[in-house]
Amino acid sequence: MDIKKIPVIMDVDTGIDDAVAIMLAMSSDKIDLKGITVVAGNQTLEKTLHNTLSVVEYFGRSDIPVAAGADRPLVKELYVDPATHGESGLGTAKLPQPTIKPHALDAVSFLRETLEKSEDKITLVPVAPLTNIALLLTCYPHVKEKIEKIVMMGGGAFEGNMNAVSEFNMFVDPEAAQIVFDSGVDIVMCGLDVTMKSYTTMEDILALKATDTKAGDFCAEAFGVYYDRYVSNSRLPGCAVHDAVTITYLLHPEWIKTEKANVKMDIDGAETYGQTVCDFRPDRDKTNDNALVCLDIDREKFVNLLIKACEYYK
Ligand code: RIB
Ligand code: CA
């Protein structure tokens, strides 16, 4: 019996962990990756687009359309993160220059057209600032009926990484995030609560390398300075592969602990601008719940999934 594939469009700011998430999605026979849209975030749009094209071509999936989107947030100035992802956006990994070109349509037009033409509802997997997704939902609200759900990497119920309360993807474009959380589309929020538990230790990185595959080699190279930064800057014994948790949720939701909540974006707090305020109170008005918040993961199974994905690229 044919497995019914999950139709997916990813939205990325490639980035080291974005690249791993894309590699994981492309390795799965359960996912029909219909396209990848790109936004500025970890690095400028020029670099995140270049990196995404490089990753798709390097892993042999030049058939997957890549469309360029917003080069800056809706309101704020762009904030990039070379300290974490390097000047290139892919850390110390060196990929061949891409020969493939971006799709003729811009990201929002590509999203709109693909959603309108699809017979099935499509799951959107944004792992970046939500600028493209917010523009889509604002300009073309009718496409909401063709979105199965949004499985995002972003936010945090109980922690931040840009400050005490704000996570990078939300911090870069809080106004876009507010539009998405208030859109009425079903959301699965893979925030820092789960992604900071989704780390690869040096032992795990060596196991990825030991697959002796182009994917394992890529991870080992890209994780170089990324690992050092995480181990020196956080309490983790490894580097958080944030974005790959979204694809892991799609493939194995049973590995991830979730809780329903009402999530609101703070876009005007002096100290809390960019916070995802998650209301889990038992006596809240649950009719306002708009997200399934991910809180924990079976880390060993997560790492083994990444290793298995690398072996796909033998
Ligand atoms: O906070 C982590 C998120 O910010 C990840 O998506 C990473 O790629 C960066 O975009
Ligand atoms: Ca990202």
Side-chain angles (χ1 to χ4, degrees):
M1 179 184 75
D2 285 344
I3 305 167
K4 185 150 177 58
K5 294 192 173 197
I6 306 167
V8 168
I9 299 175
M10 294 182 74
D11 188 72
V12 301
D13 61 334
T14 310
I16 293 167
D17 56 328
D18 304 70
V20 178
I22 294 167
M23 182 270 285
L24 179 57
M26 295 192 300
S27 74
S28 173
D29 61 4
K30 293 181 184 168
I31 289 176
D32 175 9
L33 188 53
K34 294 205 169 286
I36 302 174
T37 51
V38 187
V39 69
N42 285 323
Q43 265 297 351
T44 61
L45 178 67
E46 180 187 4
K47 292 180 179 179
T48 59
L49 177 61
H50 176 276
N51 294 339
T52 306
L53 293 167
S54 296
V55 167
V56 163
E57 185 168 13
Y58 182 67
F59 288 114
R61 292 301 308 274
S62 299
D63 58 299
I64 296 176
V66 175
D71 63 359
R72 55 152 299 148
L74 297 183
V75 175
K76 286 178 73 175
E77 289 301 313
L78 177 61
Y79 179 98
V80 295
D81 186 11
T84 305
H85 294 265
E87 276 309 316
S88 73
L90 284 179
T92 43
K94 300 279 183 285
L95 292 182
Q97 290 299 315
T99 63
I100 58 174
K101 301 298 180 202
H103 194 274
L105 292 177
D106 66 272
V108 177
S109 303
F110 174 83
L111 282 159
R112 171 195 178 185
E113 186 173 283
T114 308
L115 285 162
E116 285 176 344
K117 289 183 176 175
S118 176
E119 282 181 21
D120 301 312
K121 289 190 174 186
I122 295 177
T123 296
L124 302 187
V125 180
V127 291
L130 291 166
T131 318
N132 289 341
I133 309 302
L135 289 168
L136 170 75
L137 298 177
T138 303
C139 301
Y140 308 112
H142 67 280
V143 302
K144 288 182 188 178
E145 64 186 26
K146 298 300 289 292
I147 299 172
E148 178 66 32
K149 57 185 159 195
I150 293 173
V151 181
M152 71 166 68
M153 190 281 138
F158 305 106
E159 56 184 293
N161 55 7
M162 296 309 292
N163 53 44
V165 295
S166 183
E167 177 277 326
F168 181 84
N169 291 334
M170 306 294 103
F171 177 86
V172 169
D173 198 343
E175 287 76 12
Q178 184 178 61
I179 289 169
V180 175
F181 277 106
D182 293 353
S183 68
V185 176
D186 286 345
I187 290 169
V188 176
M189 184 180 115
C190 302
L192 295 174
D193 316 286
V194 67
T195 67
M196 288 296 276
K197 295 168 183 160
S198 310
Y199 57 82
T200 49
T201 63
M202 184 47 71
E203 185 186 0
D204 298 329
I205 294 169
L206 292 174
L208 290 164
K209 175 78 174 164
T211 61
D212 193 22
T213 60
K214 62 190 323 185
D217 290 345
F218 170 78
C219 290
E221 277 176 31
F223 282 171
V225 290
Y226 189 65
Y227 172 87
D228 295 341
R229 178 166 168 79
Y230 264 89
V231 171
S232 58
N233 280 11
S234 68
R235 59 203 178 287
L236 295 185
C239 52
V241 195
H242 303 279
D243 295 342
V245 177
T246 57
I247 304 300
T248 304
Y249 177 85
L250 286 183
L251 298 176
H252 296 285
E254 71 279 8
W255 294 355
I256 293 175
K257 176 175 178 282
T258 60
E259 200 167 322
K260 285 186 179 178
N262 174 252
V263 181
K264 288 207 176 305
M265 278 307 301
D266 184 325
I267 61 165
D268 51 21
E271 300 298 326
T272 52
Y273 179 52
Q275 180 177 5
T276 47
V277 182
C278 300
D279 187 352
F280 296 105
R281 291 172 301 159
D283 60 347
R284 72 184 183 279
D285 178 356
K286 294 186 177 65
T287 61
N288 295 326
D289 285 0
N290 58 347
L292 203 52
V293 177
C294 301
L295 297 169
D296 203 352
I297 189 168
D298 184 321
R299 192 190 74 83
E300 193 175 325
K301 288 181 178 171
F302 169 70
V303 173
N304 287 334
L305 184 66
L306 296 182
I307 291 170
K308 188 173 164 223
C310 286
E311 289 164 352
Y312 171 84
Y313 296 98
K314 276 239 186 268

